[in-house]
PDB file of all heavy atoms in Angstrom:
ATOM      1  N   ILE A 394       3.461  -1.774 -53.153  1.00 96.00           N
ATOM      2  CA  ILE A 394       3.555  -0.430 -52.573  1.00 96.00           C
ATOM      3  C   ILE A 394       5.003  -0.134 -52.199  1.00 96.00           C
ATOM      4  O   ILE A 394       5.622  -0.865 -51.430  1.00 96.00           O
ATOM      5  CB  ILE A 394       2.656  -0.293 -51.333  1.00 96.00           C
ATOM      6  CG1 ILE A 394       1.179  -0.402 -51.727  1.00 96.00           C
ATOM      7  CG2 ILE A 394       2.912   1.044 -50.629  1.00 96.00           C
ATOM      8  CD1 ILE A 394       0.205  -0.216 -50.583  1.00 96.00           C
ATOM      9  N   ASP A 395       5.532   0.936 -52.763  1.00 95.00           N
ATOM     10  CA  ASP A 395       6.864   1.437 -52.419  1.00 95.00           C
ATOM     11  C   ASP A 395       6.708   2.927 -52.129  1.00 95.00           C
ATOM     12  O   ASP A 395       6.813   3.759 -53.025  1.00 95.00           O
ATOM     13  CB  ASP A 395       7.849   1.192 -53.560  1.00 95.00           C
ATOM     14  CG  ASP A 395       9.286   1.559 -53.196  1.00 95.00           C
ATOM     15  OD1 ASP A 395       9.485   2.309 -52.210  1.00 95.00           O
ATOM     16  OD2 ASP A 395      10.211   1.110 -53.893  1.00 95.00           O
ATOM     17  N   SER A 396       6.437   3.249 -50.873  1.00 93.00           N
ATOM     18  CA  SER A 396       6.118   4.633 -50.534  1.00 93.00           C
ATOM     19  C   SER A 396       7.330   5.543 -50.686  1.00 93.00           C
ATOM     20  O   SER A 396       7.182   6.708 -51.057  1.00 93.00           O
ATOM     21  CB  SER A 396       5.563   4.715 -49.115  1.00 93.00           C
ATOM     22  OG  SER A 396       6.527   4.309 -48.173  1.00 93.00           O
ATOM     23  N   ASP A 397       8.516   5.048 -50.394  1.00 94.00           N
ATOM     24  CA  ASP A 397       9.716   5.881 -50.565  1.00 94.00           C
ATOM     25  C   ASP A 397       9.875   6.286 -52.026  1.00 94.00           C
ATOM     26  O   ASP A 397      10.179   7.448 -52.335  1.00 94.00           O
ATOM     27  CB  ASP A 397      10.964   5.131 -50.091  1.00 94.00           C
ATOM     28  CG  ASP A 397      11.001   4.956 -48.585  1.00 94.00           C
ATOM     29  OD1 ASP A 397      10.297   5.711 -47.882  1.00 94.00           O
ATOM     30  OD2 ASP A 397      11.721   4.065 -48.105  1.00 94.00           O
ATOM     31  N   ALA A 398       9.662   5.334 -52.923  1.00 96.00           N
ATOM     32  CA  ALA A 398       9.767   5.637 -54.348  1.00 96.00           C
ATOM     33  C   ALA A 398       8.698   6.634 -54.777  1.00 96.00           C
ATOM     34  O   ALA A 398       8.958   7.511 -55.612  1.00 96.00           O
ATOM     35  CB  ALA A 398       9.657   4.354 -55.168  1.00 96.00           C
ATOM     36  N   ALA A 399       7.491   6.520 -54.211  1.00 97.00           N
ATOM     37  CA  ALA A 399       6.421   7.450 -54.557  1.00 97.00           C
ATOM     38  C   ALA A 399       6.782   8.877 -54.163  1.00 97.00           C
ATOM     39  O   ALA A 399       6.611   9.825 -54.940  1.00 97.00           O
ATOM     40  CB  ALA A 399       5.119   7.024 -53.868  1.00 97.00           C
ATOM     41  N   ILE A 400       7.293   9.039 -52.949  1.00 97.00           N
ATOM     42  CA  ILE A 400       7.656  10.377 -52.471  1.00 97.00           C
ATOM     43  C   ILE A 400       8.843  10.927 -53.259  1.00 97.00           C
ATOM     44  O   ILE A 400       8.867  12.112 -53.621  1.00 97.00           O
ATOM     45  CB  ILE A 400       7.952  10.328 -50.964  1.00 97.00           C
ATOM     46  CG1 ILE A 400       6.642  10.053 -50.186  1.00 97.00           C
ATOM     47  CG2 ILE A 400       8.585  11.630 -50.486  1.00 97.00           C
ATOM     48  CD1 ILE A 400       6.828   9.847 -48.712  1.00 97.00           C
ATOM     49  N   GLU A 401       9.817  10.077 -53.545  1.00 97.00           N
ATOM     50  CA  GLU A 401      10.978  10.540 -54.316  1.00 97.00           C
ATOM     51  C   GLU A 401      10.577  10.929 -55.735  1.00 97.00           C
ATOM     52  O   GLU A 401      11.107  11.901 -56.293  1.00 97.00           O
ATOM     53  CB  GLU A 401      12.059   9.459 -54.344  1.00 97.00           C
ATOM     54  CG  GLU A 401      12.702   9.171 -52.994  1.00 97.00           C
ATOM     55  CD  GLU A 401      13.412  10.389 -52.392  1.00 97.00           C
ATOM     56  OE1 GLU A 401      13.918  11.227 -53.158  1.00 97.00           O
ATOM     57  OE2 GLU A 401      13.452  10.491 -51.154  1.00 97.00           O
ATOM     58  N   ARG A 402       9.655  10.192 -56.324  1.00 97.00           N
ATOM     59  CA  ARG A 402       9.180  10.543 -57.657  1.00 97.00           C
ATOM     60  C   ARG A 402       8.468  11.897 -57.634  1.00 97.00           C
ATOM     61  O   ARG A 402       8.652  12.725 -58.545  1.00 97.00           O
ATOM     62  CB  ARG A 402       8.242   9.449 -58.175  1.00 97.00           C
ATOM     63  CG  ARG A 402       7.617   9.737 -59.537  1.00 97.00           C
ATOM     64  CD  ARG A 402       8.653   9.931 -60.625  1.00 97.00           C
ATOM     65  NE  ARG A 402       8.042  10.169 -61.925  1.00 97.00           N
ATOM     66  CZ  ARG A 402       8.541  10.987 -62.839  1.00 97.00           C
ATOM     67  NH1 ARG A 402       9.672  11.645 -62.601  1.00 97.00           N
ATOM     68  NH2 ARG A 402       7.941  11.138 -64.001  1.00 97.00           N
ATOM     69  N   ALA A 403       7.662  12.152 -56.608  1.00 97.00           N
ATOM     70  CA  ALA A 403       7.011  13.454 -56.485  1.00 97.00           C
ATOM     71  C   ALA A 403       8.045  14.563 -56.327  1.00 97.00           C
ATOM     72  O   ALA A 403       7.908  15.645 -56.924  1.00 97.00           O
ATOM     73  CB  ALA A 403       6.058  13.447 -55.293  1.00 97.00           C
ATOM     74  N   ALA A 404       9.081  14.302 -55.537  1.00 97.00           N
ATOM     75  CA  ALA A 404      10.152  15.294 -55.371  1.00 97.00           C
ATOM     76  C   ALA A 404      10.863  15.552 -56.699  1.00 97.00           C
ATOM     77  O   ALA A 404      11.218  16.698 -57.018  1.00 97.00           O
ATOM     78  CB  ALA A 404      11.136  14.822 -54.311  1.00 97.00           C
ATOM     79  N   ASP A 405      11.086  14.509 -57.493  1.00 97.00           N
ATOM     80  CA  ASP A 405      11.682  14.678 -58.824  1.00 97.00           C
ATOM     81  C   ASP A 405      10.845  15.619 -59.681  1.00 97.00           C
ATOM     82  O   ASP A 405      11.381  16.522 -60.360  1.00 97.00           O
ATOM     83  CB  ASP A 405      11.788  13.327 -59.541  1.00 97.00           C
ATOM     84  CG  ASP A 405      12.850  12.411 -58.949  1.00 97.00           C
ATOM     85  OD1 ASP A 405      13.738  12.897 -58.221  1.00 97.00           O
ATOM     86  OD2 ASP A 405      12.780  11.189 -59.226  1.00 97.00           O
ATOM     87  N   LEU A 406       9.540  15.398 -59.680  1.00 98.00           N
ATOM     88  CA  LEU A 406       8.650  16.215 -60.507  1.00 98.00           C
ATOM     89  C   LEU A 406       8.659  17.672 -60.072  1.00 98.00           C
ATOM     90  O   LEU A 406       8.613  18.587 -60.912  1.00 98.00           O
ATOM     91  CB  LEU A 406       7.229  15.647 -60.440  1.00 98.00           C
ATOM     92  CG  LEU A 406       7.024  14.293 -61.118  1.00 98.00           C
ATOM     93  CD1 LEU A 406       5.701  13.672 -60.693  1.00 98.00           C
ATOM     94  CD2 LEU A 406       7.079  14.445 -62.644  1.00 98.00           C
ATOM     95  N   ILE A 407       8.725  17.900 -58.768  1.00 97.00           N
ATOM     96  CA  ILE A 407       8.763  19.277 -58.271  1.00 97.00           C
ATOM     97  C   ILE A 407      10.089  19.935 -58.664  1.00 97.00           C
ATOM     98  O   ILE A 407      10.113  21.116 -59.048  1.00 97.00           O
ATOM     99  CB  ILE A 407       8.553  19.277 -56.743  1.00 97.00           C
ATOM    100  CG1 ILE A 407       7.115  18.849 -56.431  1.00 97.00           C
ATOM    101  CG2 ILE A 407       8.839  20.652 -56.155  1.00 97.00           C
ATOM    102  CD1 ILE A 407       6.857  18.564 -54.965  1.00 97.00           C
ATOM    103  N   GLU A 408      11.181  19.197 -58.608  1.00 97.00           N
ATOM    104  CA  GLU A 408      12.469  19.743 -59.056  1.00 97.00           C
ATOM    105  C   GLU A 408      12.437  20.059 -60.546  1.00 97.00           C
ATOM    106  O   GLU A 408      12.992  21.084 -60.987  1.00 97.00           O
ATOM    107  CB  GLU A 408      13.584  18.745 -58.760  1.00 97.00           C
ATOM    108  CG  GLU A 408      13.948  18.656 -57.280  1.00 97.00           C
ATOM    109  CD  GLU A 408      15.098  17.706 -57.014  1.00 97.00           C
ATOM    110  OE1 GLU A 408      15.333  16.795 -57.841  1.00 97.00           O
ATOM    111  OE2 GLU A 408      15.768  17.871 -55.982  1.00 97.00           O
ATOM    112  N   GLN A 409      11.787  19.214 -61.341  1.00 96.00           N
ATOM    113  CA  GLN A 409      11.680  19.478 -62.781  1.00 96.00           C
ATOM    114  C   GLN A 409      10.856  20.721 -63.061  1.00 96.00           C
ATOM    115  O   GLN A 409      11.156  21.482 -63.980  1.00 96.00           O
ATOM    116  CB  GLN A 409      11.062  18.262 -63.463  1.00 96.00           C
ATOM    117  CG  GLN A 409      11.950  17.034 -63.475  1.00 96.00           C
ATOM    118  CD  GLN A 409      11.229  15.765 -63.886  1.00 96.00           C
ATOM    119  OE1 GLN A 409      10.152  15.809 -64.507  1.00 96.00           O
ATOM    120  NE2 GLN A 409      11.784  14.614 -63.543  1.00 96.00           N
ATOM    121  N   LEU A 410       9.822  20.945 -62.258  1.00 94.00           N
ATOM    122  CA  LEU A 410       9.010  22.163 -62.390  1.00 94.00           C
ATOM    123  C   LEU A 410       9.847  23.392 -62.129  1.00 94.00           C
ATOM    124  O   LEU A 410       9.753  24.415 -62.837  1.00 94.00           O
ATOM    125  CB  LEU A 410       7.820  22.082 -61.433  1.00 94.00           C
ATOM    126  CG  LEU A 410       6.755  23.168 -61.547  1.00 94.00           C
ATOM    127  CD1 LEU A 410       6.104  23.163 -62.914  1.00 94.00           C
ATOM    128  CD2 LEU A 410       5.693  22.970 -60.467  1.00 94.00           C
ATOM    129  N   HIS A 411      10.699  23.325 -61.125  1.00 93.00           N
ATOM    130  CA  HIS A 411      11.604  24.430 -60.790  1.00 93.00           C
ATOM    131  C   HIS A 411      12.622  24.660 -61.901  1.00 93.00           C
ATOM    132  O   HIS A 411      12.882  25.787 -62.315  1.00 93.00           O
ATOM    133  CB  HIS A 411      12.306  24.130 -59.468  1.00 93.00           C
ATOM    134  CG  HIS A 411      13.307  25.144 -59.057  1.00 93.00           C
ATOM    135  ND1 HIS A 411      14.675  24.962 -59.214  1.00 93.00           N
ATOM    136  CD2 HIS A 411      13.164  26.366 -58.493  1.00 93.00           C
ATOM    137  CE1 HIS A 411      15.310  26.028 -58.759  1.00 93.00           C
ATOM    138  NE2 HIS A 411      14.420  26.892 -58.303  1.00 93.00           N
ATOM    139  N   ALA A 412      13.177  23.548 -62.426  1.00 91.00           N
ATOM    140  CA  ALA A 412      14.173  23.662 -63.494  1.00 91.00           C
ATOM    141  C   ALA A 412      13.559  24.268 -64.761  1.00 91.00           C
ATOM    142  O   ALA A 412      14.202  25.062 -65.444  1.00 91.00           O
ATOM    143  CB  ALA A 412      14.763  22.284 -63.798  1.00 91.00           C
ATOM    144  N   ALA A 413      12.321  23.907 -65.050  1.00 87.00           N
ATOM    145  CA  ALA A 413      11.650  24.439 -66.239  1.00 87.00           C
ATOM    146  C   ALA A 413      11.450  25.955 -66.115  1.00 87.00           C
ATOM    147  O   ALA A 413      11.565  26.685 -67.107  1.00 87.00           O
ATOM    148  CB  ALA A 413      10.298  23.755 -66.420  1.00 87.00           C
ATOM    149  N   ARG A 414      11.190  26.435 -64.900  1.00 77.00           N
ATOM    150  CA  ARG A 414      11.030  27.878 -64.710  1.00 77.00           C
ATOM    151  C   ARG A 414      12.319  28.611 -65.032  1.00 77.00           C
ATOM    152  O   ARG A 414      12.308  29.629 -65.729  1.00 77.00           O
ATOM    153  CB  ARG A 414      10.621  28.164 -63.259  1.00 77.00           C
ATOM    154  CG  ARG A 414      10.532  29.653 -62.943  1.00 77.00           C
ATOM    155  CD  ARG A 414      10.225  29.901 -61.479  1.00 77.00           C
ATOM    156  NE  ARG A 414       9.908  31.313 -61.250  1.00 77.00           N
ATOM    157  CZ  ARG A 414       9.548  31.818 -60.090  1.00 77.00           C
ATOM    158  NH1 ARG A 414       9.431  31.033 -59.025  1.00 77.00           N
ATOM    159  NH2 ARG A 414       9.267  33.100 -59.947  1.00 77.00           N
ATOM    160  N   HIS A 415      13.442  28.070 -64.546  1.00 73.00           N
ATOM    161  CA  HIS A 415      14.714  28.763 -64.770  1.00 73.00           C
ATOM    162  C   HIS A 415      15.175  28.616 -66.213  1.00 73.00           C
ATOM    163  O   HIS A 415      15.819  29.526 -66.755  1.00 73.00           O
ATOM    164  CB  HIS A 415      15.766  28.230 -63.784  1.00 73.00           C
ATOM    165  CG  HIS A 415      15.600  28.790 -62.412  1.00 73.00           C
ATOM    166  ND1 HIS A 415      16.248  29.921 -61.982  1.00 73.00           N
ATOM    167  CD2 HIS A 415      14.805  28.405 -61.379  1.00 73.00           C
ATOM    168  CE1 HIS A 415      15.882  30.199 -60.748  1.00 73.00           C
ATOM    169  NE2 HIS A 415      15.010  29.288 -60.330  1.00 73.00           N
TER     170      HIS A 415
END
Side-chain angles (χ1 to χ4, degrees):
I394 294 183
D395 186 342
S396 63
D397 290 340
I400 291 174
E401 293 299 329
R402 177 59 178 144
D405 289 342
L406 291 166
I407 292 169
E408 287 183 336
Q409 291 168 19
L410 188 61
H411 177 258
R414 176 184 190 177
H415 282 268

